[in-house]
Amino acid sequence: GHTQGICGLKWNEEGTTLASGGNDNVVCLWDAAMSRRSSRNSPTSMGSTVSPQFMLTDHTAAVKALAWCPLKRGLLASGGGEGDGTIKFWKANTGSLQNSINTGSQVCSLLWSKHQKEICSSHGGSENQLSLWQYPTMAKIQDFKGHQARVLNMEQSPESGCVVSTSADETLQLWDM
């Protein structure tokens, strides 16, 4: 489905849909059931071809950041790289764009809160910040600054609002959100 390198992957909670983001500015949604049927019907998996269920083409830069909403089934957030800087929200069962917000800088990773209706985005550019957003209004709650280079990834503690981020500045930072 992609014409350039794939730089982001995320399974939905049920394990039925895989989202992939690429350097071709595309998000593909893959149906796991189609993949299983294709590989069973083929004498070898090498000969099987599976097409994405949906190709989402609204980003204008590479898509590395993907996150499935834990509170709303079938809602996918994707983040565009340098030159795009948007977070887009997709209804996975139809492939339709629900909302788009311009963050002002490349979106490197996305993380839904496990406890609140919030999403956190990490960024590169002049600020190298984490931004916390209220969902669905996408009103910015707060920026968290401290990294000296692009924030590559984040993960939330299973039991609290603590988020750890990793950056191209070769540091890990802990944030109380």
Side-chain angles (χ1 to χ4, degrees):
H2 289 281
T3 59
Q4 294 182 24
I6 298 170
C7 46
L9 290 171
K10 192 67 75 168
W11 281 104
N12 69 350
E13 184 120 350
E14 298 83 17
T16 57
T17 305
L18 177 68
S20 61
N23 285 331
D24 54 4
N25 312 341
V26 174
V27 176
C28 290
L29 298 180
W30 304 88
D31 180 4
M34 283 296 292
S35 176
R36 284 190 293 273
R37 280 194 297 273
S38 176
S39 62
R40 275 198 303 267
N41 295 334
S42 174
T44 67
S45 60
M46 298 291 285
S48 64
T49 302
V50 177
S51 297
Q53 187 174 18
F54 296 105
M55 293 181 70
L56 314 175
T57 59
D58 290 36
H59 281 289
T60 59
V63 181
K64 296 179 174 88
L66 298 165
W68 292 95
C69 180
L71 304 173
K72 191 170 182 182
R73 186 177 181 187
L75 179 65
L76 175 70
S78 61
E82 191 172 357
D84 179 311
T86 63
I87 301 172
K88 297 190 183 301
F89 297 91
W90 308 91
K91 192 172 181 179
N93 64 341
T94 63
S96 62
L97 180 64
Q98 299 298 291
N99 192 12
S100 179
I101 180 168
N102 188 343
T103 68
S105 62
Q106 66 177 305
V107 181
C108 302
S109 67
L110 292 167
L111 179 66
W112 287 96
S113 170
K114 295 175 175 127
H115 309 290
Q116 305 291 327
K117 289 186 177 179
E118 297 170 348
I119 188 168
C120 189
S121 55
S122 75
H123 300 271
S126 62
E127 301 292 325
N128 302 309
Q129 82 279 14
L130 283 70
S131 296
L132 186 62
W133 308 87
Q134 181 67 45
Y135 183 81
T137 65
M138 292 310 288
K140 189 183 287 189
I141 298 169
Q142 185 175 346
D143 282 331
F144 298 84
K145 299 177 184 177
H147 282 294
Q148 301 305 307
R150 181 168 55 118
V151 184
L152 301 171
N153 207 352
M154 305 174 288
E155 190 59 52
Q156 182 179 4
S157 165
E159 297 172 8
S160 72
C162 180
V163 170
V164 63
S165 59
T166 182
S167 168
D169 65 12
E170 300 180 3
T171 66
L172 294 174
Q173 294 192 17
L174 296 169
W175 308 92
D176 183 5
M177 296 202 175

